[in-house]
Amino acid sequence: MTESQLPTYIELGRRSDAPAGSSWGLLGDLGTIGLLTADRVRQAASCVVTGQVYNLDYPVNAFDPPPSATRRPTRHHVFQKRPTHRDDYLDSFYLQGTSQIDGLRHQGHPDHGFYNGAPAEELVAGKGPLGIDSWAEHGIVGRGVLLDVDRHLRARRGVGLDHATGESFAHELLDTVADAQGVELRRGDIVMLRTGWARYYFDEMTEAQRQSLPTALRCSGLAQSGAALAWLWDRGIALLAADNVAVEVVPSIAAQEFTKVSPDRRLHPPVIALLGMPLGELWRLDHLAEACARDGRYDMLVVASPLNLPGGVGSPANAVAIR
């Protein structure tokens, strides 16, 4: 199927040959990363004006303890065979512990399972479908667009998101931010949302608050709704990343009727398992946002290089923006 033949989100909801609301069988096992075609890479390269490079990854163990209760800090060991030699290795290296990309194995849908109907028993270490290695082989390179939600809200209402309570924002705000920044979203974009959560974590949270995150997580983010899913799909986003923990608001604020799409009312299952769209979390966006605000350019070339780990569930983003 060519891109011009891809159905709208409303049309996805009418499918009878696959779960309603899914892109199963339309994009291959790459999911929306397949939208990052050679033509789009060439077009994205035209966004490079100054050649300045911005690292979009926080250091390993920057978020300690990791906000997820199932992860642990990484232990780095350096050893030597002789005084003029060094080697090293890692223990407890959780691949989604810092700036990262959720692969298509990361979330199955409670009712429909994993993307494209991949058998759960085949999603094992070292082999099988939907591994992060397929994206490493294809490459994640394309036009990046920064939507600076935090800066926009501070300019319009005087304050950013209320991260202490976990304020949500609707998908319509993203169009408002794009319009205010003078940037157009295009099919195949890598869209990055700066909420200001990471700045809040490092600059305003107390140590006690950071320690409580794994068991009492509150995080500002995108509100859960069917309309948000339609927004993501119909704009043809290849990858959606943010500087917060989950892209979406935590805990969920979805209305009861959203359980028809996602039984636990989260965006992760339908976005990843039904649409095949990767999510990036805890991306480092503050310094990039400062550069964009200075010259008013909010699009750029983005390159992310996930680990070439057969059967990998997720990966450090290993991402840079080139302006």
Side-chain angles (χ1 to χ4, degrees):
M1 176 175 287
T2 65
E3 282 190 28
S4 63
Q5 297 172 315
L6 286 176
T8 65
Y9 187 74
I10 289 177
E11 291 168 337
L12 288 183
R14 299 174 183 149
R15 295 189 70 182
S16 59
D17 60 336
S22 80
S23 70
W24 290 16
L26 304 180
L27 297 170
D29 281 352
L30 289 174
T32 56
I33 291 300
L35 297 173
L36 298 173
T37 62
D39 283 344
R40 289 204 170 98
V41 173
R42 286 194 294 270
Q43 293 164 10
S46 68
C47 295
V48 177
V49 177
T50 66
Q52 293 173 300
V53 178
Y54 296 83
N55 173 26
L56 304 182
D57 282 26
Y58 284 105
V60 173
N61 288 341
F63 299 91
D64 184 9
S68 171
T70 60
R71 297 168 188 157
R72 301 290 182 271
T74 297
R75 296 190 298 275
H76 182 204
H77 305 273
V78 177
F79 66 93
Q80 64 186 66
K81 293 191 294 186
R82 54 187 177 274
T84 56
H85 165 268
R86 294 294 185 277
D87 206 336
D88 58 355
Y89 63 96
L90 299 174
D91 281 333
S92 184
F93 184 29
Y94 286 76
L95 304 186
Q96 294 162 277
T98 184
S99 306
Q100 52 97 1
I101 297 172
D102 287 343
L104 296 182
R105 287 184 169 199
H106 180 56
Q107 290 280 328
H109 190 277
D111 294 334
H112 305 296
F114 290 90
Y115 187 64
N116 275 347
E121 63 273 13
E122 295 182 12
L123 306 184
V124 296
K127 61 181 181 179
L130 307 184
I132 201 80
D133 51 303
S134 66
W135 291 345
E137 196 66 34
H138 178 274
I140 299 178
V141 181
R143 177 179 181 255
V145 173
L146 177 72
L147 297 181
D148 195 343
V149 174
D150 180 68
R151 190 177 303 272
H152 176 83
L153 291 178
R154 290 179 186 278
R156 296 303 185 273
R157 70 183 193 185
V159 293
L161 294 168
D162 184 351
H163 298 298
T165 63
E167 183 181 355
S168 68
F169 55 88
H171 64 282
E172 291 96 339
L173 177 62
L174 302 181
D175 284 326
T176 301
V177 173
D179 289 344
Q181 293 176 176
V183 65
E184 176 190 10
L185 296 179
R186 304 171 188 164
R187 182 177 292 275
D189 280 347
I190 297 169
V191 176
M192 300 169 287
L193 311 180
R194 179 177 174 269
T195 69
W197 188 88
R199 177 202 54 77
Y200 170 75
Y201 175 92
F202 290 115
D203 296 346
E204 297 183 31
M205 270 192 185
T206 66
E207 183 60 27
Q209 288 173 321
R210 295 189 193 102
Q211 292 295 325
S212 72
L213 280 177
T215 56
L217 179 61
R218 283 194 172 274
C219 180
S220 300
L222 181 62
Q224 298 87 0
S225 70
L229 292 173
W231 188 91
L232 294 171
W233 175 258
D234 289 340
R235 277 154 184 76
I237 292 174
L239 184 154
L240 180 67
D243 63 346
N244 63 4
V245 175
V247 180
E248 60 185 296
V249 64
V250 180
S252 172
I253 63 164
Q256 178 66 32
E257 56 264 27
F258 193 60
T259 58
K260 298 175 184 177
V261 179
S262 180
D264 65 4
R265 305 191 201 180
R266 293 184 303 132
L267 282 177
H268 267 60
V271 169
I272 294 174
L274 296 187
L275 297 183
M277 185 179 296
L279 296 173
E281 298 160 352
L282 299 175
W283 281 32
R284 183 184 173 205
L285 302 177
D286 286 352
H287 61 323
L288 175 62
E290 291 294 333
C292 292
R294 281 195 297 270
D295 62 17
R297 289 192 298 114
Y298 286 86
D299 61 352
M300 64 217 69
L301 176 66
V302 168
V303 180
S305 184
L307 294 177
N308 195 356
L309 178 67
V313 172
S315 173
N318 297 323
V320 295
I322 309 167
R323 302 182 74 247

